[in-house]
Amino acid sequence: MFKAYYLLILCGFLCGTLYGQNSVPNGDFETYTTLPNGYAQYFKSVGWGNVNNSLAGPPFGSPDYFHASGTVGNYFGQIVANSGDAQMGFYTYHNALGDAREYVTTQLTTPLIPGQEYQLTFYLTNGFNGGYNGAADNFGVHFSVGPLTQVVDEVINVIPQIEIPGTVYHSNYWQPYVFLFTATNSADNITFGNFESDAATTITGGTRAYYFIDDIELIPTLPTMQVNSDTTLCLGESYDLNAWGDVSYAWADSLNPSSILSIDSTFTVSPLVSTTYFVYGTMDTLSVSVNVNDPPMVDLGIDTALCGGSLVLDATYAGAAYAWQDGSGNPTFTVNLAGQYSVELTLNGCTAADTIDVVYQPLSLNLGNDTLLCQGEVLTLDATSPNATYTWQDNSGNPTFDVTLPGTYWVTIDNQICTASDTIVVDFSVPEIPNLGNDTILCDGQVLVLDGTTLNGSYLWQDNTTITPTYNATQTGMYSVTVTSGACVVIDSVQVDFIVFPQIDLGPDINLCEGETLVLGTAIPGVNYTWQDGSINPTYTVSSQGIYSVEFGVGTCLGSDTINVNYTIFTVDLGPDVLLCDDATLLLDVTEPGATYLWQDNSTGVDFTVLNEGLYTVEVTVNNCSMSDAIYVSYLESPFVDLGGDRTICEDATFQLNGTGENANSYVWHDNSTLPIFEVSEEGIYSVELTNECGSYNDMVSIEMEDCNCYLYIPNTFTPDGDEFNQTIIPVSNCDFTIYEWTIYNRWGEVIFKSFDPNIGWDGVYSGKSVANDTYTYVLRYSFVDDIVEVLHGHVTVLR
């Protein structure tokens, strides 16, 4: 888990001191593909998802995207966005679904850097309408490597690295949350929601908890950049310059400091001269010097052949040290024997080396004895010698010469050290040459008679038979005959291939289900195919009913086969998801001739009567082909509202009548206003009618006025330092309270003081210890007349 510090403060107090670009894409939800026109359209906010990737809507864990220019209603009671026009909403607790969760998630633009400190900031406010007016705890943030997985809408069983302590309740205002933490891995996804079960979650003020989120920001705190040290290279070597500890880098050199050469943390250089390199970070600039030394130069020359004598190898280079193959250290070396010679030069830590092969070999040349050849033979005379030039009898200069005619042939070779010459006489006799014909392909079962008949010849076939000049070829192979006639031996050969007739079976006639395909045929090398539609591929893919046939063969060998393919086609449609009133029923009927049925409760009738809310599914099977459909049926109760009993309020005071009721789609007060809240400022009888698709409900209340003349004052600072002055803080009024509840919170949302007695003040102590000098939030619920409750929010500062 990350080490995180939680700060519940205004972002402007701290965000300005941090550095870095927001790693949460579209953190204010302002960028969209199209404007939302319905609930569960989280995907229209660019970059955001809901973990399970479901687009089907409730109850499949689908958050809601809101935009001031969209057409989505305010069923959940959202307020205007914290900034801009957009916000995202989702529930963290839903009593009717049980362990159901919605999550919002996105992939970070840059993975977290282990060891880097980050600040996470976001704003929350509660939903307060449509039955989603509860407040819950366990609001958490999880960073993961790769996305989390949610199949439908179940709880994701992971431990969030960040969790807001206590119940999260911010009705009608945006509360900023700021966390500082140090990353321990390279997480690249962020997910918001409740990762605890219903049993481990506390819900107050309602049965469902719904939250709106806006302006999410994840930025690193101020980095500290480092680089590796200066170095020295030999010319031609390379070096990796490394920078770390920052979030961005830009490299340049001293020749042109304003020209950026690389923006990677590692930059490989191979300078020609000594160079200083600069790396510009986000808040710092560092430099690395790379010194370049020139290596010595050495060239022992090309490999050399000697007839005799010696060879002096000279590697002289001013200031260099020498190391020859035998360990000697002079700048020169005298060669008297054949072998490989090498030297390594060292200067200023840089080395250079060279090698030379020296051979001692006087030229030798032998074209062979005078020769008698058979006509058609070719004799290659080879005079090849290292580093030599050649002069043949016809003045050609190649190392070899092909003899095809009778005559006298000679060559002289010269390697600029030695020369040599030789001569040969070549004559030819004329034998008769057999002809077995061209390479042949036959069908299996045919016989090819090979005839090698030659005048005065004797025969040797490939299988060592020597009886006749003919041979019967009955199987694939290379056939050859060697004919000897006088002093000449001639050979001829032929390749005979026999093609085995292929066996291709399309199979028996078959019945397929709608959408299935069938691949007919088998790819056999060398086989030609022609299908019923004229196509010539080795296989044919069937996707519709019909008779299919193929003709196949190799050479003159042909065959064919046919298959009849039938399709079973039917449809299953339960209709769209539906909303029913109270005790209404719905008959689902999927009758299909010859079919069997399997409903979600394992019943097997042709129809199903819906009595309760839920997801209903059916699988219909005909001829072993199955299709399925699903429908979600919701039930809506008639609306209900209770405005309370008749009451009396103070003159010149205002009072809000709350007409909010579950399942209401519209509100109409006695004056035809349509908001759920009605502000009362004078005596009278007030009534409201709530309406939805299943009916309407009315309630009314009588309000009277009386003169109260009450005031209320709460100091904003007190000094509980042990002296006799200003030791406690308490609300002051000239009237008696009929209802009184005073609660004080610290900046983490913990309750540190609560009193129902207007005569007991707070002395700055929590859990037996004096609290630190700080500003604390309070909420005062009170009434001076009957049960008309007012709520006052404020801050008090402790100074010692």
Side-chain angles (χ1 to χ4, degrees):
M1 180 177 287
F2 300 132
K3 183 178 181 182
Y5 303 92
Y6 166 57
L7 306 174
L8 179 55
I9 57 177
L10 293 176
C11 188
F13 177 74
L14 182 61
C15 295
T17 66
L18 300 178
Y19 174 84
Q21 188 173 21
N22 189 6
S23 296
V24 178
N26 195 21
D28 55 6
F29 306 105
E30 297 297 320
T31 304
Y32 54 85
T33 54
T34 58
L35 287 169
N37 58 4
Y39 299 108
Q41 294 182 355
Y42 63 91
F43 50 86
K44 292 191 175 183
S45 180
V46 173
W48 288 93
N50 73 332
V51 183
N52 66 27
N53 297 317
S54 169
L55 303 180
F60 301 109
S62 301
D64 308 298
Y65 178 48
F66 300 93
H67 194 283
S69 298
T71 59
V72 183
N74 63 347
Y75 178 72
F76 301 104
Q78 75 273 14
I79 61 177
V80 297
N82 183 62
S83 67
D85 296 315
Q87 55 188 300
M88 189 73 77
F90 58 103
Y91 65 77
T92 65
Y93 183 91
H94 195 300
N95 68 313
L97 298 181
D99 278 334
R101 299 290 182 266
E102 289 183 340
Y103 299 92
V104 290
T105 185
T106 189
Q107 182 176 355
L108 302 179
T109 58
T110 304
L112 299 183
I113 301 172
Q116 172 69 52
E117 185 182 62
Y118 290 86
Q119 175 180 293
L120 174 64
T121 305
F122 55 90
Y123 286 76
L124 290 179
T125 184
N126 290 71
F128 58 87
N129 195 14
Y132 291 87
N133 54 356
D137 55 4
N138 299 329
F139 191 97
V141 184
H142 186 78
F143 293 89
S144 59
V145 178
L148 296 179
T149 299
Q150 183 189 40
V151 178
V152 183
D153 62 351
E154 71 281 358
V155 175
I156 300 178
N157 188 21
V158 297
I159 299 176
Q161 292 88 350
I162 294 173
E163 188 172 276
I164 299 175
T167 300
V168 179
Y169 180 73
H170 312 293
S171 179
N172 259 324
Y173 68 95
W174 287 96
Q175 176 63 54
Y177 286 90
V178 181
F179 294 87
L180 295 178
F181 66 90
T182 300
T184 59
N185 63 13
S186 300
D188 55 6
N189 277 260
I190 184 172
T191 304
F192 295 83
N194 181 0
F195 299 91
E196 296 284 355
S197 66
D198 283 1
T201 299
T202 300
I203 180 76
T204 59
T207 59
R208 304 170 189 174
Y210 193 92
Y211 293 92
F212 300 91
I213 191 168
D214 199 4
D215 291 335
I216 305 171
E217 183 179 58
L218 177 64
I219 56 177
T221 58
L222 185 63
T224 300
M225 184 172 63
Q226 301 180 59
V227 297
N228 48 359
S229 58
D230 297 342
T231 189
T232 297
L233 305 176
C234 295
L235 184 64
E237 292 180 334
S238 61
Y239 183 64
D240 288 339
L241 302 176
N242 292 294
W244 62 94
D246 208 332
V247 295
S248 65
Y249 312 90
W251 294 92
D253 60 27
S254 54
L255 300 177
N256 191 356
S258 62
S259 177
I260 302 304
L261 304 175
S262 174
I263 59 173
D264 295 326
S265 60
T266 299
F267 177 38
T268 303
V269 298
S270 182
L272 300 178
V273 297
S274 296
T275 305
T276 297
Y277 294 89
F278 302 102
V279 57
Y280 307 112
T282 56
M283 298 293 290
D284 199 3
T285 300
L286 300 177
S287 64
V288 180
S289 294
V290 180
N291 297 316
V292 179
N293 290 331
D294 292 327
M297 304 292 292
V298 58
D299 183 9
L300 298 180
I302 62 173
D303 295 341
T304 301
L306 302 176
C307 288
S310 61
L311 175 65
V312 176
L313 303 177
D314 190 353
T316 302
Y317 193 91
Y322 308 87
W324 292 90
Q325 74 288 334
D326 61 354
S328 60
N330 296 323
T332 62
F333 189 91
T334 301
V335 175
N336 295 303
L337 298 173
Q340 186 177 77
Y341 297 85
S342 63
V343 64
E344 182 179 272
L345 278 64
T346 303
L347 179 64
N348 295 327
C350 299
T351 62
D354 197 16
T355 300
I356 186 174
D357 289 327
V358 179
V359 296
Y360 279 83
Q361 185 177 357
L363 284 175
S364 60
L365 178 63
N366 183 8
L367 298 179
N369 299 324
D370 293 345
T371 300
L372 176 65
L373 302 177
C374 295
Q375 186 171 1
E377 285 187 286
V378 176
L379 175 63
T380 298
L381 303 177
D382 191 348
T384 302
S385 183
N387 303 315
T389 59
Y390 310 88
T391 303
W392 292 90
Q393 73 287 334
D394 61 353
N395 290 320
S396 61
N398 295 323
T400 61
F401 190 91
D402 291 335
V403 176
T404 58
L405 298 173
T408 299
Y409 299 87
W410 56 265
V411 65
T412 297
I413 61 176
D414 185 350
N415 67 359
Q416 298 182 353
I417 299 174
C418 307
T419 61
S421 298
D422 195 20
T423 300
I424 185 175
V425 176
V426 181
D427 204 356
F428 285 82
S429 65
V430 183
E432 185 178 356
I433 300 175
N435 183 9
L436 298 182
N438 299 325
D439 293 345
T440 302
I441 299 176
L442 303 175
C443 291
D444 192 24
Q446 290 182 291
V447 176
L448 177 64
V449 178
L450 302 175
D451 190 349
T453 302
T454 302
L455 183 64
N456 298 322
S458 60
Y459 310 94
L460 178 65
W461 292 92
Q462 76 286 336
D463 60 356
N464 292 321
T465 57
T466 60
I467 298 175
T468 63
T470 62
Y471 192 93
N472 291 336
T474 60
Q475 60 185 12
T476 297
M478 176 67 75
Y479 294 85
S480 63
V481 63
T482 301
V483 179
T484 302
S485 179
C488 294
V489 177
V490 292
I491 300 174
D492 194 20
S493 62
V494 63
Q495 174 69 35
V496 180
D497 291 313
F498 286 83
I499 299 175
V500 178
F501 185 73
Q503 297 298 318
I504 297 177
D505 183 6
L506 299 183
D509 295 344
I510 191 172
N511 184 81
L512 299 178
C513 300
E514 183 178 6
E516 286 187 299
T517 60
L518 175 65
V519 178
L520 301 176
T522 302
I524 301 176
V527 177
N528 298 317
Y529 303 82
T530 302
W531 294 89
Q532 75 288 335
D533 62 353
S535 61
I536 59 173
N537 294 323
T539 60
Y540 190 94
T541 300
V542 175
S543 60
S544 61
Q545 184 168 299
I547 297 175
Y548 298 85
S549 62
V550 64
E551 183 180 88
F552 51 89
V554 179
T556 59
C557 301
L558 300 175
S560 64
D561 196 15
T562 300
I563 185 174
N564 186 12
V565 181
N566 293 312
Y567 272 82
T568 297
I569 300 174
F570 61 98
T571 60
V572 178
D573 184 11
L574 294 178
D577 293 346
V578 66
L579 178 66
L580 303 179
C581 294
D582 293 334
D583 297 326
T585 63
L586 175 65
L587 180 64
L588 303 176
D589 191 341
V590 290
T591 302
E592 182 70 32
T596 60
Y597 311 89
L598 181 62
W599 294 88
Q600 76 289 333
D601 63 350
N602 293 322
S603 61
T604 58
V606 298
D607 56 32
F608 190 93
T609 300
V610 175
L611 302 175
N612 300 300
E613 179 172 330
L615 180 67
Y616 294 85
T617 62
V618 65
E619 182 180 70
V620 181
T621 302
V622 180
N623 294 333
N624 294 321
C625 297
S626 297
M627 294 186 67
S628 61
D629 195 17
I631 182 174
Y632 192 85
V633 180
S634 302
Y635 276 83
L636 181 65
E637 298 179 355
S638 299
F640 175 79
V641 65
D642 183 7
L643 296 179
D646 296 341
R647 65 201 72 186
T648 301
I649 65 173
C650 296
E651 291 181 355
D652 300 325
T654 60
F655 173 69
Q656 288 186 338
L657 287 175
N658 189 349
T660 302
E662 289 195 14
N663 306 317
N665 289 344
S666 66
Y667 305 83
V668 178
W669 291 87
H670 56 280
D671 64 350
N672 292 322
S673 61
T674 58
L675 295 177
I677 304 298
F678 191 93
E679 190 167 285
V680 176
S681 60
E682 59 185 25
E683 289 185 340
I685 295 177
Y686 297 84
S687 64
V688 65
E689 181 180 40
L690 278 63
T691 305
N692 66 13
E693 294 90 334
C694 295
S696 61
Y697 187 85
N698 290 276
D699 194 20
M700 67 175 55
V701 65
S702 175
I703 304 297
E704 294 183 356
M705 297 285 189
E706 73 174 28
D707 185 6
C708 297
N709 290 325
C710 295
Y711 71 82
L712 176 65
Y713 169 71
I714 301 177
N716 61 10
T717 304
F718 75 113
T719 59
D721 52 6
D723 62 13
E724 59 183 283
F725 301 105
N726 205 17
Q727 297 302 295
T728 61
I729 188 168
I730 190 170
V732 179
S733 176
N734 64 330
C735 295
D736 292 333
F737 295 99
T738 60
I739 296 176
Y740 180 88
E741 181 185 342
W742 193 30
T743 307
I744 300 178
Y745 303 86
N746 63 17
R747 64 175 58 246
W748 293 275
E750 296 177 291
V751 176
I752 62 174
F753 177 78
K754 180 183 285 287
S755 175
F756 298 93
D757 187 345
N759 297 313
I760 299 176
W762 182 42
D763 59 0
V765 174
Y766 172 54
S767 295
K769 297 181 180 180
S770 297
V771 299
N773 288 354
D774 205 343
T775 297
Y776 299 85
T777 302
Y778 65 77
V779 177
L780 177 61
R781 298 179 69 254
Y782 68 95
S783 176
F784 294 124
V785 178
D786 294 338
D787 58 350
I788 308 303
V789 179
E790 301 285 342
V791 179
L792 179 64
H793 297 266
H795 296 82
V796 61
T797 300
V798 175
L799 295 176
R800 289 187 175 86

